[in-house]
Amino acid sequence: MFTAIEQEKNYQAIINQIKTAIIQGELPLGTQLPPERELVQMLGVSRSSIREALKALEVQGIVESRQGGGYFVVNHILESMNNSLSLFFMLQGCTVEDLIQLRMTLEFGALRMVIQNSTDEEIAELGEFLQRYVNSDPIEEREKHDLDFHTELVKMSHNPLFVYLLNAMMFMYEQNVNYSNQVVEDKDMMEETIDIHVRLYDAIRARDYTRAERVLTEHFDFTKDDLDRQTVYFFPQEQTE
């Protein structure tokens, strides 16, 4: 499972080998890693390198130290990767269009699973999120309930990878929802936007994917002006340079 390390940075090579062993199924969830002294012998590295690698893996939510029991493989990755895509979005220089395309991929994928697999009770709960959105005021409250409606839609897919992506991009997801609402307010189109949400929910409740897909497409049908306005909200510093 593990091989001796030569030239690569010791701690990074250790991390890579442990991750590879997990991905290949050699270290299932809950498995206890070999003691430090055994890892030192197996990998041919110092104990300090082993400790550095294990601490890094713990920060990433992949292993955890248990008092008197050593390190175990865990799955706390969702918490540790919070907003990792949001950071990538900003550092990579992504655009609002990039973010909206990702949102569309996520929500359209979730939509089909929600219609096919959700219980009537779950769909009724989504309706409660909708009602809070419809009845909300001022804009700050409406933005919150709009975000809740869309994130609940994704969570209702019961796909852990969708939820992982949602968590990894939550900051930018929330910003996109908020700025979309601000653009809608700027253009005095709130009634039309609320109507889209109501029609989307009605289609979900009727389990009519074709109609729901059409309404969600309408929801994401931003004009160039809409995108330009959102871009100004997202990157106000660039407008003053």
Side-chain angles (χ1 to χ4, degrees), residues 23-165:
I23 292 169
Q24 292 179 346
E26 297 172 344
L27 289 174
L29 184 67
T31 301
Q32 182 178 7
L33 296 182
E36 285 184 7
R37 64 181 179 277
E38 290 186 23
L39 289 173
V40 168
Q41 295 172 353
M42 295 163 65
L43 297 169
V45 297
S46 66
R47 179 164 288 192
S48 62
S49 293
I50 295 292
R51 290 176 177 171
E52 188 174 5
L54 292 174
K55 288 298 182 184
L57 288 167
E58 191 166 25
V59 169
Q60 295 175 39
I62 297 171
V63 303
E64 72 174 7
S65 174
R66 298 176 184 173
Q67 188 171 7
Y71 281 87
F72 291 78
V73 177
V74 296
N75 184 13
H76 299 159
I77 297 173
L78 192 64
E79 297 90 337
S80 68
M81 295 300 288
N82 184 42
N83 275 319
S84 57
L85 270 179
S86 296
L87 290 167
F88 182 85
F89 175 90
M90 296 303 298
L91 296 174
Q92 184 65 21
C94 295
T95 66
V96 172
E97 291 94 327
D98 295 328
L99 178 59
I100 291 172
Q101 288 169 9
L102 180 57
R103 273 195 65 190
M104 291 176 66
T105 300
L106 193 57
E107 292 193 33
F108 276 105
L111 182 64
R112 182 179 294 277
M113 286 183 281
V114 167
I115 288 175
Q116 289 178 345
N117 303 323
S118 292
T119 65
D120 292 342
E121 290 75 14
E122 288 175 322
I123 291 177
E125 289 177 9
L126 182 65
E128 295 175 7
F129 283 96
L130 172 69
Q131 285 305 312
R132 287 193 284 270
Y133 166 69
V134 170
N135 298 328
S136 59
D137 191 66
I139 185 173
E140 291 80 11
E141 184 180 339
R142 186 178 298 118
E143 289 170 353
K144 176 188 181 303
H145 294 309
D146 190 12
L147 176 69
D148 289 344
F149 177 81
H150 284 276
T151 56
E152 184 64 18
L153 178 65
V154 175
K155 292 175 182 177
M156 283 173 60
S157 70
H158 297 299
N159 184 321
L161 295 178
F162 281 18
V163 176
Y164 171 85
L165 284 174

Side-chain angles (χ1 to χ4, degrees), residues 139 142-143 146 177-185 190:
I139 185 173
R142 186 178 298 118
E143 289 170 353
D146 190 12
V177 170
N178 291 350
Y179 295 149
S180 295
N181 274 278
Q182 290 186 32
V183 170
V184 166
E185 288 276 353
M190 186 52 66

Side-chain angles (χ1 to χ4, degrees), residues 89 94-101 103 146 172-187 219-239:
F89 175 90
C94 295
T95 66
V96 172
E97 291 94 327
D98 295 328
L99 178 59
I100 291 172
Q101 288 169 9
R103 273 195 65 190
D146 190 12
M172 301 312 299
Y173 204 99
E174 180 178 0
Q175 294 293 88
N176 184 235
V177 170
N178 291 350
Y179 295 149
S180 295
N181 274 278
Q182 290 186 32
V183 170
V184 166
E185 288 276 353
D186 292 345
K187 302 179 76 170
H219 181 50
F220 283 112
D221 186 22
F222 296 108
T223 66
K224 183 179 184 302
D225 179 63
D226 294 334
L227 295 173
D228 288 344
R229 287 171 183 257
Q230 285 196 47
T231 299
V232 170
Y233 285 127
F234 259 104
F235 309 108
Q237 69 280 4
E238 294 185 5
Q239 315 307 315

